[in-house]
Amino acid sequence: MKKSLIALLVATLPAAAFADVTIYGKIKGGVEYVDNGSTKQTNVDDLGSRIGFKGSEDLGNGLKTIWQVETGFAVDGTGKQNANGSSNSSSGTFANRESFIGLQGSFGTIRLGNISNFQDSDMGIVDAWEYKDAALGLGVFTRDADRLKNSIRYDLPAIVPGLTAALQYGTKEDKATASDREIYGLGLGYENSGFFGKYAYTYEAQQPTVLPVIGTVTSTNDKHRLEVGYNANNLLVAFGYNQVDAKLANTAGSEKFKTKDYALTAAYTLGAFTPKFTYGQGETKGLGVTAGKYDQYILGVDYAASKRTTIGAQYGHINLKDDNTKDRNAFGLNMVHKF
């Protein structure tokens, strides 16, 4: 009875209520077996499910309003928490993913809201995996691909075919919160005949941080990311490079830290099957020592059950090289449906 009433109500709404509105999303779930060297555990996880609404309105003279509201949710029932009980900002709160309002015209596109940075919106092809555990994907390499709250982003018009460029600014609205900081972003990309090259730069302004023993320091970060490769004719080859230059300072002086990550991914589609392989490595240098050094590889295959449904399986291994650390191994099965 209730379903019939809802259907009748929807049928009586004016067509204008649905004009230029698109409903879209992904449902992503998986089973992962993880061995961290101390414990072995099997998890049923959501892998980033989301639903979104987007639309536009023609304002005339080539100008239009654009908007989007996207929300993450967890199909495994964990709601706002990760498997370890920590908060998951990508699930459980309305409009917690990329959501904005803006204008689009011959001048380009300008948006304001909770907007993806260039690394999140235009890059990341080197991380061709669906996963929750870090051993099953390049979560370490892509850690800076995120949405920037309280931000404004300008995308230049496509003057040259294949060329993209974007500028982004995130405000420090909460002056009393130490974790809030101003962020500036630049993104550049070019694609032609399957070949692509993309670069992103992020500057994170000064922020106070409390470190063990040392106490309170201020930190600024310069972040660079480059991805190049080929993606056409059933073949994907992608190389990625990350570099973070961090400067920590207090009354006693300052110290610089440099983090570098590399990743290489190859995949080839044979009918409905796409075997894939990824290798990655990284390290951080500062105070005359090297820390956080790791090697990583992932091997798996995707099966396209339809145009909108994919089933995947992968095995991942992370070799942690610091003292008193243990390697991490994981095996995962996943299923993704797009709508």
Side-chain angles (χ1 to χ4, degrees):
M1 181 63 180
K2 290 183 178 179
K3 291 183 178 179
S4 298
L5 289 174
I6 293 173
L8 178 62
L9 177 61
V10 170
T12 59
L13 291 175
F18 300 97
D20 298 320
V21 177
T22 300
I23 301 175
Y24 67 95
K26 294 181 181 179
I27 300 178
K28 306 163 66 173
V31 179
E32 298 183 351
Y33 172 79
V34 181
D35 180 358
N36 63 11
S38 299
T39 60
K40 300 177 182 180
Q41 184 171 339
T42 300
N43 305 312
V44 175
D45 289 317
D46 178 82
L47 306 180
S49 301
R50 77 287 303 263
I51 185 171
F53 306 86
K54 60 184 178 180
S56 63
E57 181 186 14
D58 189 352
L59 302 178
N61 298 317
L63 184 67
K64 64 180 179 179
T65 300
I66 57 172
W67 61 271
Q68 177 175 298
V69 178
E70 186 173 297
T71 302
F73 60 90
V75 296
D76 62 348
T78 58
K80 297 182 181 180
Q81 290 186 332
N82 292 312
N84 62 3
S86 62
S87 175
N88 182 353
S89 61
S90 294
S91 177
T93 303
F94 191 68
N96 56 16
R97 294 181 62 89
E98 186 172 45
S99 302
F100 58 80
I101 190 167
L103 292 171
Q104 188 175 70
S106 60
F107 59 86
T109 302
I110 186 166
R111 295 171 289 163
L112 58 90
N114 183 23
I115 307 171
S116 291
N117 60 17
F118 196 79
Q119 297 94 314
D120 189 46
S121 64
D122 291 68
M123 304 177 77
I125 193 171
V126 71
D127 188 9
W129 307 96
E130 301 290 349
Y131 59 95
K132 182 76 175 281
D133 191 83
L136 292 172
L138 290 176
V140 176
F141 180 87
T142 60
R143 59 189 176 274
D144 293 317
D146 204 353
R147 292 165 294 280
L148 190 54
K149 297 180 180 179
N150 307 317
S151 72
I152 183 168
R153 172 168 162 168
Y154 170 60
D155 289 74
L156 276 68
I159 300 174
V160 177
L163 179 66
T164 55
L167 300 169
Q168 191 169 6
Y169 169 68
T171 65
K172 181 182 172 77
E173 291 196 349
D174 189 351
K175 304 295 184 182
T177 302
S179 60
D180 200 11
R181 71 199 311 176
E182 286 186 309
I183 299 177
Y184 303 82
L186 166 69
L188 298 171
Y190 183 69
E191 299 182 27
N192 189 6
S193 302
F195 293 95
F196 64 88
K198 299 183 180 183
Y199 168 77
Y201 169 74
T202 302
Y203 172 73
E204 297 178 340
Q206 190 176 88
Q207 175 193 54
T209 304
V210 179
L211 298 178
V213 182
I214 298 177
T216 301
V217 300
T218 59
S219 67
T220 57
N221 298 318
D222 291 283
K223 299 182 176 183
H224 307 265
R225 182 162 154 194
L226 175 69
E227 289 184 8
V228 296
Y230 178 80
N231 185 22
N233 301 314
N234 297 333
L235 174 65
L236 167 65
V237 179
F239 171 78
Y241 172 73
N242 255 344
Q243 179 175 310
V244 179
D245 297 310
K247 182 179 180 181
L248 303 182
N250 60 12
T251 55
S254 63
E255 183 68 33
K256 294 182 179 180
F257 294 80
K258 185 183 292 290
T259 300
K260 294 182 178 181
D261 301 275
Y262 306 85
L264 177 66
T265 292
Y268 188 78
T269 300
L270 297 164
F273 293 91
T274 303
K276 303 182 291 185
F277 176 77
T278 291
Y279 173 77
Q281 66 175 31
E283 64 180 19
T284 298
K285 293 184 177 181
L287 298 173
V289 299
T290 299
K293 193 171 183 178
Y294 72 91
D295 288 311
Q296 176 181 17
Y297 68 82
I298 312 155
L299 178 66
V301 61
D302 285 345
Y303 171 70
S306 71
K307 291 183 178 180
R308 296 187 296 168
T309 300
T310 302
I311 300 170
Q314 68 234 48
Y315 169 78
H317 172 81
I318 298 181
N319 179 15
L320 302 174
K321 299 181 179 295
D322 288 357
D323 295 336
N324 302 316
T325 60
K326 297 181 179 181
D327 292 354
R328 193 175 189 93
N329 297 278
F331 176 77
L333 295 171
N334 63 77
M335 186 172 182
V336 178
H337 177 74
K338 302 176 183 179
F339 61 91

